[in-house]
Amino acid sequence: MRTKPSNRETALQVGKDLFLKKGYLATSMDDIVTESKVSKTNIYYYFKSKEELLTEIIRLMVEQYSSVITYIAAQTELPVMERLHKLLGLLTEQDTDCLGGCPFLTLYTQTPPQAEEIRQRIGGFFQSQLAVIEQLIREGTQTGELKADLPVQAVSALILSTVEGALFLRHAGQDESHMHHSLQALAVLLK
């Protein structure tokens, strides 16, 4: 039997939902109070500011995605292309209701420049994704599953940039074909 979420968990979930759908800058703590039905005093007990709430949301998102990405990459019994496919599936099956297509890009672009910790955490998340993709590409070139002459860093950056761009195009154009075509092109490039 599932227990009722705590006020802290409720504030985090509602804050995340509103930040992604409405935007961090356009969401007030009063909006979160109204939507969550958690008192302002209670929310401020856990989070001293909207920025502190966002920092915790980002920390939890990075932790969740990183855990799954690490798990996928570690499944060495699977071929590299299958692991890459699973990884790209995870990255492309993100919440399509968020403003920029990708929740991390949405929150990054909405974060004030002085919120350096948040920006660094999101940047670090993308760097860790690149490292995992590089590891998989390197492994695939060594085992012969992928073209042997692939420039690992360049291809990894292209993969991540393509996925992020396709997420935005899918959202902006309300068209799934961008994602499908992008993933097909990446598969052709790798083999």
Side-chain angles (χ1 to χ4, degrees):
M1 185 158 137
R2 181 146 167 86
T3 60
K4 181 181 174 194
S6 69
N7 286 338
R8 181 180 189 281
E9 292 168 328
T10 300
L12 282 165
Q13 187 59 54
V14 169
K16 177 183 171 186
D17 291 345
L18 288 174
F19 292 163
L20 291 175
K21 291 176 184 163
K22 187 176 173 183
Y24 173 77
L25 298 174
T27 302
S28 68
M29 288 299 266
D30 286 336
D31 293 335
I32 295 168
V33 167
T34 301
E35 187 75 24
S36 70
K37 306 209 181 344
V38 174
S39 74
K40 188 181 272 192
T41 306
N42 208 320
I43 290 176
Y44 277 108
Y45 173 78
Y46 295 109
F47 310 102
K48 306 300 178 227
S49 65
K50 186 169 81 164
E51 188 174 310
E52 193 174 297
L53 175 63
L54 178 60
T55 300
E56 183 62 8
I57 289 167
I58 295 295
R59 186 191 70 73
L60 291 169
M61 286 174 58
V62 166
E63 186 178 284
Q64 175 190 1
Y65 276 92
S66 295
S67 172
V68 176
I69 289 168
T70 301
Y71 173 75
I72 291 169
Q75 294 180 310
T76 55
E77 70 279 3
L78 299 177
V80 168
M81 280 303 287
E82 190 172 335
R83 286 182 277 157
L84 274 171
H85 183 73
K86 284 183 172 200
L87 176 62
L88 296 179
L90 170 71
L91 298 176
T92 58
E93 293 171 8
Q94 300 179 32
D95 186 355
T96 56
D97 281 345
C98 59
L99 292 175
C102 167
F104 291 97
L105 286 180
T106 295
L107 294 175
Y108 186 88
T109 59
Q110 289 277 315
T111 301
Q114 64 273 19
E116 196 59 36
E117 179 186 349
I118 294 169
R119 289 175 165 271
Q120 286 177 353
R121 196 170 291 226
I122 294 172
F125 173 70
F126 282 113
Q127 288 303 315
S128 69
Q129 281 185 63
L130 269 176
V132 169
I133 294 169
E134 286 176 15
Q135 169 201 334
L136 290 172
I137 299 295
R138 195 170 286 110
E139 183 182 332
T141 59
Q142 290 169 352
T143 63
E145 291 179 62
L146 305 178
K147 290 180 186 174
D149 62 345
L150 288 174
V152 174
Q153 287 183 315
V155 169
S156 300
L158 177 65
I159 289 171
L160 186 57
S161 299
T162 301
V163 168
E164 291 300 325
L167 284 168
F168 174 76
L169 289 173
R170 176 177 71 183
H171 177 74
Q174 298 297 308
D175 185 354
E176 276 298 316
S177 69
H178 294 296
M179 186 60 67
H180 177 73
H181 294 307
S182 295
L183 295 178
Q184 275 186 323
L186 289 174
V188 169
L189 172 75
L190 295 174
K191 292 214 166 185

